[in-house]
Each structure stands twice: as C-alpha cells, then as structure tokens.
Amino acid sequence: MQQYLDLCRRIIEQGVWVENERTGKRCLTVVNTDLQYNVAANEFPLVTTRKSFWKAAIAEFIGYIRGYSSAEDFRKLGAKTWDANANSNEVWLNNPCRKGEDDMGRVYGVQGRSWQKPDGGFIDQLRKIVDDLTAGVDDRGEIMTFYNPGEFHLGCLRPCMHTHNFSLLGDTLYLTSYQRSCDVPLGQNFNQVQVFFFLQLMAQITGNKPGVAYHKIVNAHIYEDQLELMRDVQLKREPYSPPKLHINPDIKSLEDVESWVTMNDFEVTDYQYHEPIIYPFSV
C-alpha cells in the first residue's frame, strides 16, 4: 500500500503535464516505476485509503484466462470494465472489424489463448506455460503477451498491462508483469490486484509455491480531473494493513478456471478501508 501512495506522491511532485491524444485530457506523468507484492506472505495489495472493489478485478482477469472477447461475458462474471471500450469508443464503433454490440475484438485474453499464426493456426500461450510449470519446467520463456501490433486494428483497445513472464526457481514461482500505461487512481488499483492474483492462482494450479510478483509500469499518470481528489482526499488518509486473498483449494487446474469457477471461489479477509472515492474514468 505504501509503495502505491509513494507513486501517487511522486507523480504529483515530479510529474510532467502531457496531453493525451486518445482522451483529449491532460495528465501528470512519470516514466518507470517498479512495484513488488509478497504473494508468499499473502499480503494482498488492495488499496485501503479508499474502498476498492477487488471482485471486478479478479473477474476481469478470469475473463482474460478464458479468452473472452465480449463485454457481455465479462459482465456475467461480474466485471463491467469493458462496457465503455466495447460500446462507447467512437473509433471502435466506426471500425468495420467490430462485430456488433459488446464486441471487443482480438484483445487481451484472445491473444493469450488464441494468438494467430501466419499459417492460419493458433497458439495457446497460457496452456504451454501451465503445462511447463506443472512439469517443473522453466525454459526461460514462460511468457504470455497480449501485445500484438499486427492486430491492433482488430480490437477496441491496445493492452495496457501487456506481458506476464513467469520464473520457476525450485518449487517457488515468480511473476514479472509489464504495463505500458497506467491510470494510477483507477487502473493500478485493478492491475496490482490482478498481478498478485495471477501468481497466486498459477502457483496453485501448477502445484508450486508462490514467491514475489514484480510489477513494472512504464508510463504512470494521473488525469487532470482526478488530481484534486488524489491530492486533497486520498493522500490525506492513513493506510491500513494489507488484507489476505483466499482461493478455493478445489481449484486445481486450468480447466477448472475455464469451466466452473465463479467469484464465490475467492474471499478477502481482514480488509479495512476508508470511504469510497469516485474518480472520473477516461474512455
């Protein structure tokens, strides 16, 4: 939690104003930050200086694991995060590749589970990683990436957190996740939950122990219409101790996650938090 608040202060104190072309808004921006989360000790990095809705973050990532391409499927899991990008993004609405309401195109989990090859076949990146780690193998290439420049035009949004690189040392699993761009008041709250969750889940379904999750953000920013709330409200609050995330121990395989898992299979305990803060969202 403290490293999150330190990043927010750094952006406010050292950030440079940048005009964002996609949103038409200015944002304070810094380049390069590195965070780490102690998954082994189950120090769940859920923001405590405002109420944070962790279920939507985990639901969204389950949708990525399942390779969903429809905002409707994400809503059924409990995540409404793709509604705006699928249905309110003017550029995407005018894209001839869009298949209709709620269509997201070939973004995020579609790339992770069905990367299209030049010969017409597909690569399931996640399946390969799970098989290797279950067998105790780390070929130094246990990487799942959503970043496919050749298909950007086929989706509603380029991936922000785009690559996940697993490392296995003995029976301890580590994760390094790379993010090109982060809306810190809103997005990072989701993203750090997802990095932690992904390592904890992958360790469980591959029979390994979780270690540390490393989270690298290249462009971290606070939009101008978020600045006052962050500076004058959230940063005035004292953080609480981190809560703990519990995953149903009956989840033992990738197939379990793909088929029967719901949000009832996850629980957060010891979560103390301050009042919610409603930050503006930029489509």
Side-chain angles (χ1 to χ4, degrees):
M1 184 64 224
Q2 191 57 52
Q3 59 186 339
Y4 171 80
L5 297 176
D6 288 344
L7 173 59
C8 294
R9 291 190 181 94
R10 178 187 162 205
I11 294 172
I12 291 171
E13 294 170 2
Q14 303 176 20
V16 175
W17 283 109
V18 174
E19 184 81 25
N20 183 258
E21 182 178 353
R22 181 177 64 87
T23 62
K25 296 181 181 181
R26 291 202 313 162
C27 48
L28 276 176
T29 305
V30 298
V31 172
N32 191 55
T33 189
D34 292 282
L35 305 103
Q36 60 185 62
Y37 316 122
N38 191 343
V39 185
N42 202 358
E43 295 177 356
F44 191 40
L46 190 59
V47 170
T48 62
T49 47
R50 68 178 176 92
K51 185 177 182 180
S52 301
F53 300 94
W54 60 271
K55 286 187 177 181
I58 290 178
E60 180 181 65
F61 210 87
I62 291 173
Y64 296 163
I65 290 173
R66 291 178 176 176
Y68 285 164
S69 63
S70 170
E72 180 182 12
D73 290 329
F74 281 90
R75 285 198 301 274
K76 289 177 180 178
L77 274 175
K80 298 180 180 180
T81 48
W82 282 95
D83 289 358
N85 282 308
N87 299 309
S88 302
N89 182 334
E90 287 298 326
V91 174
W92 178 238
L93 292 178
N94 295 320
N95 190 318
C97 299
R98 184 174 183 264
K99 298 176 181 178
E101 185 176 1
D102 285 327
D103 180 43
M104 297 157 48
R106 291 187 54 78
V107 297
Y108 282 84
V110 176
Q111 300 292 347
R113 302 306 309 272
S114 186
W115 183 284
Q116 189 164 284
K117 299 194 296 180
D119 63 7
F122 294 89
I123 297 173
D124 186 340
Q125 299 179 70
L126 183 58
R127 178 79 264 175
K128 178 263 184 188
I129 295 169
V130 169
D131 289 346
D132 280 358
L133 298 179
T134 301
V137 173
D138 177 0
D139 67 2
R140 302 179 184 174
E142 307 303 341
I143 299 170
M144 179 172 69
T145 185
F146 304 143
Y147 206 79
N148 187 350
E151 294 192 349
F152 284 165
H153 65 293
L154 299 179
C156 64
L157 183 71
R158 289 182 300 163
C160 295
M161 189 162 64
H162 56 81
T163 300
H164 302 278
N165 191 158
F166 287 94
S167 301
L168 188 62
L169 299 180
D171 62 353
T172 302
L173 186 63
Y174 298 83
L175 171 63
T176 305
S177 296
Y178 300 88
Q179 187 165 353
R180 66 171 180 85
S181 173
C182 184
D183 175 341
V184 173
L186 284 176
Q188 187 174 337
N189 183 42
F190 256 55
N191 298 139
Q192 60 191 33
V193 164
Q194 292 173 335
V195 172
F196 184 101
F197 164 74
F198 197 23
L199 176 56
Q200 189 175 30
L201 178 70
M202 286 288 282
Q204 180 166 311
I205 67 175
T206 62
N208 292 290
K209 297 186 298 186
V212 175
Y214 300 96
H215 185 185
K216 175 177 279 293
I217 302 170
V218 177
N219 183 300
H221 50 267
I222 298 174
Y223 282 99
E224 189 168 17
D225 57 7
Q226 300 169 331
L227 181 58
E228 184 176 352
L229 284 171
M230 176 58 74
R231 182 190 58 219
D232 300 337
V233 181
Q234 189 164 357
L235 285 177
K236 301 292 186 183
R237 298 172 174 179
E238 288 295 321
Y240 296 109
S241 299
K244 298 185 182 300
L245 174 65
H246 306 279
I247 298 177
N248 183 347
D250 291 336
I251 301 174
K252 297 177 180 178
S253 68
L254 179 57
E255 288 74 18
D256 290 341
V257 182
E258 293 170 329
S259 55
W260 57 263
V261 168
T262 71
M263 290 310 300
N264 293 328
D265 295 296
F266 308 97
E267 181 185 10
V268 169
T269 59
D270 303 323
Y271 183 36
Q272 290 181 279
Y273 51 83
H274 291 267
E275 290 297 309
I277 300 174
I278 309 301
Y279 282 106
F281 173 68
S282 299
V283 178

